[in-house]
Structures are given as structure tokens and as C-alpha cells.
Amino acid sequence: MTRARMPRPHEVAAARRDPRLLRAAKEQQGDGAWRIRGACQAVDPETFFPAPTEPADAAVALCRTCDVQGACLAWALDVGDCHGVWGATTPRERRAMLVAWRSDGLAAGNADPRLGAVAMLLPLPRARPQEHPDPVGAAAQ
Ligand code: SF4
């Protein structure tokens, strides 16, 4: 298993200007109601968990058509999820966004700002990608 490296300062600076991050900060929701509106409802969940050597283009393209991509990305950043595609972002992109999300206080209160950038290297409170049955939580309907 390859350990993710810490994002470099220029990557974090770029993440802070990323329109997807700004949209996530604006559209974040306190509940999971956004999930049932996801454009990926009828798509194979494996599409959103490509292998590291595979392109994530198909998933990212679908996310870009999705009305709830801001809320989706906010959720992924709140839980520190760095697997799979969420809100039109790849895990690598989200690692840099996560530093900005936590250090800049963009989260509405679900994340603990004391965790800082170190938190993204900790084990994630989420199923492994191959075990994740449904990236939009259709089961929660
Ligand atoms: S992963 Fe998120 S942004 Fe992408 S289609 Fe599903 S709900 Fe929308």
C-alpha cells in the first residue's frame, strides 16, 4: 500500500482558489439529503473508485453534471475521505483541498479544526473502496 504524501504548499494554494472548493464551502449541508439527488444514482459505484493506474475521467465528468457536487465534496472533506471521486475531485486533489478546508475554517462545524493537515494521514472512518457499495448512499433512502 502506497502512503499518500503531504500536499505541497503550492498545491494547497491552488486548492484554495479552486472553484470546486469554494462551491463546497457555499453549498455544504448538515444532513445527507443531497445524496438522493446525485447524478450517480444509477451508475455502477465502481466507476467512482478507479484503480490508481486508471483514469477517473468518467466519474469526474459525471460529477460535473451533478446538481449536488458542492454538498458532495463538502461531505467528503468533512469526513476526510481520500478514496474515490467525490464532487468532481480526485483523491489527490482532495488531499490539498483538505488542508485548506481544515486550516481555513471552511467547514460548517462538522470537522475538528484542531486536527489540521495531519488528520488526512490517519485511518479513514469509511469502508475501503472495494467495499463501498454506493457512493451516493442510495441505501440511506
Ligand atoms: S459522486 Fe457526488 S458529485 Fe459525483 S455524481 Fe455522485 S453525488 Fe454527484
Side-chain angles (χ1 to χ4, degrees):
M1 180 174 170
T2 305
R3 188 177 177 101
R5 66 169 173 75
M6 290 288 285
R8 297 192 170 102
H10 74 276
E11 293 171 319
V12 176
R16 285 191 168 100
R17 298 188 301 270
D18 193 306
R20 295 169 297 180
L21 184 72
L22 302 176
R23 180 174 177 172
K26 182 179 176 185
E27 299 180 0
Q28 59 187 309
Q29 299 176 9
D31 58 31
W34 57 271
R35 291 171 178 249
I36 60 173
R37 296 174 47 218
C40 50
Q41 287 275 299
V43 178
D44 181 355
E46 290 298 318
T47 303
F48 293 85
F49 297 99
T53 56
E54 296 175 346
D57 300 5
V60 171
L62 182 62
C63 288
R64 286 187 173 139
T65 70
C66 181
D67 290 339
V68 294
Q69 62 184 283
C72 178
L73 176 55
W75 179 87
L77 293 170
D78 273 347
V79 300
D81 195 312
C82 284
H83 293 285
V85 172
W86 299 91
T89 62
T90 64
R92 181 174 180 174
E93 291 170 324
R94 265 196 325 282
R95 279 190 280 276
M97 288 181 175
L98 193 53
V99 176
W101 187 258
R102 290 180 172 164
S103 63
D104 295 359
L106 295 173
N110 296 328
D112 184 344
R114 293 171 300 174
L115 293 174
V118 174
M120 70 186 156
L121 300 176
L122 299 175
L124 300 169
R126 175 177 160 176
R128 295 160 56 99
Q130 62 269 25
E131 297 168 351
H132 194 275
D134 179 2
V136 297
Q141 295 178 33

